[in-house]
Amino acid sequence: MQFSDKRNNTRWIIIFASFFIVSLILWNTYSFFQIFKNEERVKMQQWALAQTKMNSEDTNADVELPLKIIQNASISIIVTEKDSIINTRNIDSDIEKNKVKLNAFLQKLKSQNDPIIINISEGKIHKLYYGDSSLLNKLKYYPIALLLIIFLFAALVYNFYKSTKMATQNKLWAGMAKETAHQIGTPLSSLIGWLEIMKANNIPESILVEIEKDINRLQTITDRFSKIGSEPALEKKDIIEETLNSFDYLKSRFSSQVNFYFEATKEPIFISLNPELHSWTIENLMKNAIDAMKGKGELTLEIKKDGQYVRINITDSGKGIPKNQFKSIFEPGFTSKKRGWGLGLSLTKRIVEEYHAGKIKVAYSEIGMGTTMQISYKLS
């Protein structure tokens, strides 16, 4: 617990440090932007002063320096007198020739910077409007680009963290499953020996048959757990027959208050599957359906072809699932049961989608009316 707390504290320190660094970069960018903006305004004031010198009636005035300043200015400029445009510089010729576009461009310059007042003579005032330089325009988008890079980096880190966590969980589940199979194996071997002794002592055949069924069942469960974490062998099997075997087994072991219905075509449907894992899938979904009905209601299992796919629909008359939980019910640890671990549907999804390249989803559910879970496999 102490190690976990230290690790969480380290994460928060890294998060706050990253936030502080990003804030510092953004603040410095804003400061640079303001400095450059002020420097450009000084340049425009010098340009206005140069323009005043050029318009001066003093013939002895030194015009060489003002002329250089005017010629070297690269920022878009519009000079007005009493709201009329009298001079432009560094503006696209298409805009200059079009009065509407030129006026629209003037409004854009007004929104970027306050005008510089040029006192030409008594009663004669010009206003100089100028835009931001290409450097300033690029600098505007720098914080956005920085935030986007940070967002993408954070998404990458989160995805890596989530993938690593899921991989760790999968290894843990696989290890637990194999250990469970190993632990069950020892008493199972003993039970098989006791069954042989009972057969030799003339125990009634009906009792032996049921005991043998349950022992075979334990062997199947052990085989299922041993396959978790490894690539299972797939065989060409009739999915109707394999599903019916699991259906009949559970049907005989649940209360008569549950009405079971099995619907399928008479023709076999062959696909590549692992019989033990497919049986586990069907049993998980049927048990969940019976739990949802609290051991009383109707359960229907339907198998049908749908184009290039075979669909298995398991429908119950239980309490239903809220729409906002349609996806979360397949997440590890999610459960609505007081004593549930939330692993059944997660393992079912893994068996269907990872081992058999199929799909599983909630096809229909309504609160108080029931649920239909659907498995889809592509036909071979």
Side-chain angles (χ1 to χ4, degrees):
M1 187 70 176
Q2 187 177 3
F3 174 75
S4 178
D5 290 340
K6 286 182 178 179
R7 187 166 60 181
N8 287 332
N9 290 335
T10 303
R11 286 176 186 165
W12 280 112
I13 290 171
I14 293 172
I15 290 171
F16 282 121
S18 302
F19 180 78
F20 175 75
I21 292 170
V22 171
S23 300
L24 190 62
I25 292 172
L26 292 176
W27 181 80
N28 280 331
T29 303
Y30 176 77
S31 299
F32 290 148
F33 181 83
Q34 293 300 320
I35 290 170
F36 290 145
K37 199 171 182 69
N38 291 334
E39 286 183 354
E40 286 193 353
R41 187 165 184 85
V42 170
K43 290 178 182 178
M44 287 299 97
Q45 288 172 342
Q46 290 175 346
W47 191 94
L49 182 60
Q51 189 71 42
T52 304
K53 287 282 187 181
M54 292 292 295
N55 294 331
S56 173
E57 296 179 358
D58 185 2
T59 56
N60 295 321
D62 183 8
V63 296
E64 183 178 354
L65 180 60
L67 186 60
K68 286 184 178 180
I69 293 174
I70 292 172
Q71 290 174 344
N72 291 333
S74 59
I75 299 173
S76 297
I77 297 169
I78 293 179
V79 180
T80 64
E81 182 180 355
K82 295 181 180 179
D83 297 329
S84 296
I85 298 174
I86 61 172
N87 192 10
T88 61
R89 289 191 68 86
N90 304 316
I91 296 176
D92 190 90
S93 58
D94 290 339
I95 296 176
E96 281 188 303
K97 293 175 183 178
N98 190 313
K99 190 174 181 181
V100 176
K101 289 184 179 180
L102 187 59
N103 283 323
F105 192 75
L106 174 61
Q107 297 304 317
K108 179 182 176 181
L109 298 186
K110 286 182 178 180
S111 66
Q112 291 181 352
N113 297 286
D114 293 331
I116 295 175
I117 307 300
I118 306 174
N119 294 306
I120 302 299
S121 60
E122 189 176 349
K124 189 177 182 180
I125 297 175
H126 292 174
K127 289 184 179 180
L128 184 149
Y129 295 95
Y130 65 97
D132 293 330
S133 66
S134 58
L135 177 62
L136 271 182
N137 287 326
K138 290 177 182 177
L139 202 58
K140 282 180 185 177
Y141 299 107
Y142 176 75
I144 298 174
L146 179 64
L147 289 174
L148 182 61
I149 292 171
I150 292 169
F151 174 77
L152 293 174
F153 179 74
L156 182 65
V157 171
Y158 173 76
N159 186 60
F160 174 77
Y161 171 74
K162 189 175 180 181
S163 300
T164 304
K165 188 176 180 181
M166 288 183 66
T168 304
Q169 288 178 341
N170 288 338
K171 287 181 181 179
L172 177 62
W173 293 341
M176 289 176 64
K178 290 182 182 296
E179 180 63 20
T180 301
H182 176 71
Q183 294 293 336
I184 293 176
T186 302
L188 184 58
S189 300
S190 178
L191 285 173
I192 293 172
W194 282 108
L195 180 63
E196 295 301 320
I197 292 173
M198 292 173 71
K199 286 180 179 179
N201 289 327
N202 299 319
I203 301 296
E205 185 69 21
S206 59
I207 295 175
L208 292 176
V209 168
E210 292 302 317
I211 292 175
E212 192 167 12
K213 281 183 182 179
D214 287 332
I215 289 176
N216 289 336
R217 192 66 186 167
L218 283 172
Q219 287 179 318
T220 301
I221 292 170
T222 303
D223 194 31
R224 288 173 182 172
F225 276 106
S226 66
K227 285 181 168 63
I228 295 297
S230 57
E231 194 69 26
L234 303 181
E235 309 170 40
K236 284 278 187 180
K237 292 286 185 178
D238 177 12
I239 194 170
I240 295 177
E241 181 183 353
E242 296 297 330
T243 305
L244 184 58
N245 290 338
S246 300
F247 181 86
D248 287 340
Y249 178 84
L250 284 180
K251 179 181 176 181
S252 64
R253 279 161 174 74
F254 276 97
S255 168
S256 59
Q257 291 183 312
V258 178
N259 297 318
F260 292 88
Y261 301 96
F262 187 89
E263 301 174 5
T265 59
K266 293 181 180 180
E267 298 79 16
I269 302 175
F270 290 96
I271 68 166
S272 298
L273 56 80
N274 181 277
E276 289 82 10
L277 294 182
H278 176 69
S279 175
W280 197 356
T281 297
I282 298 301
E283 288 177 21
N284 275 342
L285 294 177
M286 287 183 64
K287 287 178 181 178
N288 278 352
I290 294 168
D291 287 342
M293 298 186 294
K294 296 183 178 179
K296 184 178 180 181
E298 293 185 356
L299 189 152
T300 302
L301 194 154
E302 177 192 30
I303 303 176
K304 62 179 181 180
K305 284 185 178 180
D306 183 10
Q308 296 297 314
Y309 294 87
V310 57
R311 315 284 188 193
I312 303 175
N313 294 320
I314 298 177
T315 304
D316 64 65
S317 57
K319 60 184 179 180
I321 303 170
K323 287 186 178 181
N324 61 354
Q325 294 181 2
F326 278 14
K327 292 184 179 180
S328 57
I329 61 171
F330 296 105
E331 294 176 1
F334 182 91
T335 180
S336 58
K337 303 172 189 176
K338 291 182 179 179
R339 297 184 180 180
W341 285 81
L343 297 179
L345 285 177
S346 174
L347 286 171
T348 300
K349 182 180 175 69
R350 183 174 183 180
I351 291 170
V352 171
E353 297 189 354
E354 292 187 25
Y355 293 157
H356 291 92
K359 289 289 182 183
I360 183 170
K361 66 177 183 178
V362 181
Y364 163 83
S365 189
E366 189 172 340
I367 301 300
M369 299 296 291
T371 300
T372 298
M373 302 292 293
Q374 184 180 86
I375 301 172
S376 301
Y377 293 126
K378 194 166 186 178
L379 294 170
S380 302

